[in-house]
Amino acid sequence: MAESAKASRELGVLLRLVQLVRPYRGRFYLAALSLIFGSFVSLAYPQVARFAIDQGMKQGSTDALDRVMLWLCGIFALHAGFVWLRHYLMSWLGVRAVSDLRSLVFDRIMLLPVSWFHERRSGELVGRLASDVAILEEVIGSQLSMAVRNAVQLVGGIVLLFIVDWRLTLVMLAIVPPFMVGSVYFGGKLRKRSKAVQDRLADASGRVQEAIGAINTVQAFTREQAEAAAYRSDVEKAFDSTVNLIKWRASFMASVSVITYAALAVILLLGGRGVIEGRLSAGELTAFLIYTAMVASAFGTVASLYGSLAKAAGATERLYDVVDTVPEIRDPEVAKALPAGGGAVSFRDVHFRYASRTDDPVLAGVSLEMAPGEVVALVGPSGAGKTTIASLVPRFYDVQSGSVCIEGVDVRELRLSELRHAMAIVSQEPVLFSGSIRDNIAYSNPDLSTALIEQAAKDAHASGFIESFPDGYDTLVGERGVKLSGGQKQRIAIARALVADPRILILDEATSSLDAESEAAVQQALNVLMKGRTTLVIAHRLSTVQDADRICVISDGIVAEQGTHAELMAQSQIYRRLVEHQLIES
Ligand code: ADP
C-alpha cells in the first residue's frame, strides 16, 4: 500500500517534467508517433517469421521465402527511419527540457533570501543540483522513451500472444504475479541504494567545493593531505554504496533472465505438444516464442527502468523543492511607492533572531533614527549585532517585531527592487566578479555609458591605476585577470556604488588595515561617495567614528549609548573601553 502511494506520488512528480516539454509539443507528438510506429514495426517481425516458416519452408516454396526477405528489407528500412526520428527527437526534447530546468532552478535560487543559503552548504547545493540535473538528462533523454517503447511492446506483445494462442498465453502469464512481486521487492532495494549513492556523492562534492574555496587556509595549515584523504574516504564510501547498488541490480537481472528462460522452456514444451497434436503450426509456435521473449524483455526493461524513474522522481522532487520555495522575503501584495527624500532611516523597537538560532535573540529592541544625509557609525564588541542591524535595511532578513522604515515607510511595504535600488552596500573586503573592470563598475546597470563609468572611477580615485593598466577599463579582474590590491578593489567597489547613485549607504569597514597611502585614497573615495547620502557604517577605525555625525554603541542587542565621539568618551564606559582597544573586535 505504502509502495503504491509512493509510486503514484512519484508519477505525479514526474508529470511535472511534462510541463517542461509543453512548449515543444509538436516535436513531442512526432516523437511519440514515431515511437509507437517503431514499436508496431518490431511487433510485426514475428509475423514475418511465422509466414516464412509456414508458407515458405514448410511448403518448400523458395518464392515465398524470397518475398518474405523483400518484406523484411522494407520493414528494416522503415524501422531504421523510425528509430532515427525517435532517438533524435526524444534526445532533443530531453536536452532542451533539462537546459530549461537548469535555468529555471538558477532563476529561482537567485530570488531566495540569504538565510536560505546560510542553512545549506553551498558546495553540496551546487553538486546536488548538478547531479540531479544530470540524472534527469539521462532519464528524460533516453530512459523515459525506452520505458514507453517497452511498455507499448509489452502490451502489444501480449495482445498478439492472445491472438496466436490464448491458452498458451494464459500459461505464460502465470509467471507475471511472481515477476511483479519480485520487481517491487527489487525496486525498493534499488531505490534505497541509489539514494545512498546520491547522498555519498553529494558529500564528496560538498567537500571539494569547501576545500577549493578555502585553499589558502588548507595550504597554510598544511592540511592538503588530510583534505585529500578525507575526500578519498568520501569517494570510497560512494564507491562502496555504488557496488552495493550494482550487486542488487545484478541479482535483479539474473532473476529476470532465469524467469524468462524458464518461461520459454515451458512454452516450448507445451507449444511443441500443440504442434505435434496439430493445434498450432510451427510458424505460430515460433512467433509465439519470439513474442514471449519480446514481452519478457520488455517487462524486464520496464521493471528495471522503474528504479531509474523513481530515482528521477527523487531528483525532480529535490529540484522542484527549490523551484517551489516561496521566498519568505518577497514583494508585498500591494506595494507602497517609496516617497522622495534624502534617505531617512529608522529602526523602531526592532527585535530579531536568526531562524537557525531561535533560542538566541540577537536584537532586543533596537531604536535608531537616521536623518537624511546623516553618517551614523555602529560600534560594539564582536557579535553585538552590528552586521545584523545593517542587513535589515536592504531586507536580507525580516524583523520579528518592531519595524525598519525608509522615508517613514516600512521596508516590508516596498517592492524589493525599489528598496534595494535606494541603497548601496560597500563591504570593505569587496567581491569583484570575473569580467572587466568596466563590467564590475557597471554591475548595477550594464547599459551605463563609458563617460559615466569613467566619471565614477575618477570620483572613486580609481581612474589613475585603472588607466595605468595596458587594457584600461577592459582589464580583466578575478581568476583570469589582474590581481588587484585590497585598496584598488575597494575603490572599484566604491565606483560601483557611485554609479548606482543610492540615497542610503551601508558601509562595512574592514578590520584589517590597508597601508597608509591606500587608506588615504580609499578614504577620499568614500568621502565623495558619502556626500549627501545617509550612511550607516559598521566602524572599526577611530578615524571613521571621529568623522561620523553620531556614534551608536551596540551592546546586549540594543543601542546602549549614542552621541559624538567626545560625548561618548566622557560618558560611556563601554565606548571608552572600545577606543582603548582601538575599536578592534575582541
Ligand atoms: P557583529 O557584526 O556586531 O560582529 P553580527 O551581527 O555579525 O555581529 O552577529 C550577531 C550575532 O548573531 C552573533 O552572535 C552571531 O553569531 C549571530 N549570527 C550572525 N549571523 C548569523 C546567521 N546567519 N545565523 C545565525 N546566527 C548568526
Side-chain angles (χ1 to χ4, degrees), residues 37 63 255 331 360 387 416 441 506 524 528 554:
F37 274 141
D63 264 8
S255 317
D331 287 338
D360 183 14
T387 311
L416 280 173
I441 295 180
I506 295 166
Q524 282 170 342
V528 175
I554 310 299

Side-chain angles (χ1 to χ4, degrees), residues 118 354 356-357 360 362 381-389 397 585:
H118 290 160
Y354 284 98
S356 53
R357 286 178 43 195
D360 183 14
V362 177
S382 170
K386 304 180 291 292
T387 311
T388 307
I389 292 176
Y397 305 97
E585 307 204 325

Side-chain angles (χ1 to χ4, degrees), residues 317-390:
E317 211 166 7
R318 280 192 296 272
L319 290 172
Y320 274 96
D321 265 355
V322 175
V323 171
D324 293 340
T325 305
V326 178
E328 288 152 46
I329 294 185
R330 56 178 185 274
D331 287 338
E333 304 266 316
V334 189
K336 284 192 179 163
L338 181 64
V345 178
S346 54
F347 292 79
R348 295 177 188 152
D349 194 24
V350 167
H351 287 73
F352 178 79
R353 56 187 74 201
Y354 284 98
S356 53
R357 286 178 43 195
T358 45
D359 53 333
D360 183 14
V362 177
L363 304 181
V366 167
S367 292
L368 172 63
E369 296 287 331
M370 292 172 69
E374 194 183 13
V375 177
V376 171
L378 299 180
V379 298
S382 170
K386 304 180 291 292
T387 311
T388 307
I389 292 176

Side-chain angles (χ1 to χ4, degrees), residues 376-380 545-546 548-554 559-580 583:
V376 171
L378 299 180
V379 298
V545 290
Q546 279 170 335
D549 296 319
R550 189 152 44 113
I551 301 161
C552 292
V553 182
I554 310 299
V559 180
E561 322 247 355
Q562 47 183 312
T564 60
H565 176 65
E567 285 165 0
L568 288 172
M569 280 305 273
Q571 297 159 11
S572 166
Q573 269 209 3
I574 315 175
Y575 186 72
R576 226 177 308 132
R577 233 184 5 248
L578 283 168
V579 172
E580 279 157 15
L583 290 168

Side-chain angles (χ1 to χ4, degrees), residues 13-74:
V13 169
L14 285 176
L15 282 179
R16 295 198 63 175
L17 291 176
V18 175
Q19 288 173 2
L20 290 172
V21 179
R22 193 170 285 169
Y24 316 107
R25 265 186 228 105
R27 281 168 188 263
F28 178 75
Y29 292 140
L30 201 58
L33 220 60
S34 54
L35 187 149
I36 291 170
F37 274 141
S39 304
F40 281 155
V41 172
S42 311
L43 289 170
Y45 284 142
Q47 294 301 336
V48 178
R50 180 182 63 80
F51 186 83
I53 292 169
D54 287 349
Q55 308 299 319
M57 298 173 208
K58 267 184 89 181
Q59 317 281 334
S61 153
T62 50
D63 264 8
L65 259 184
D66 291 346
R67 261 205 318 278
V68 168
M69 281 310 128
L70 263 176
W71 269 97
L72 262 186
C73 289

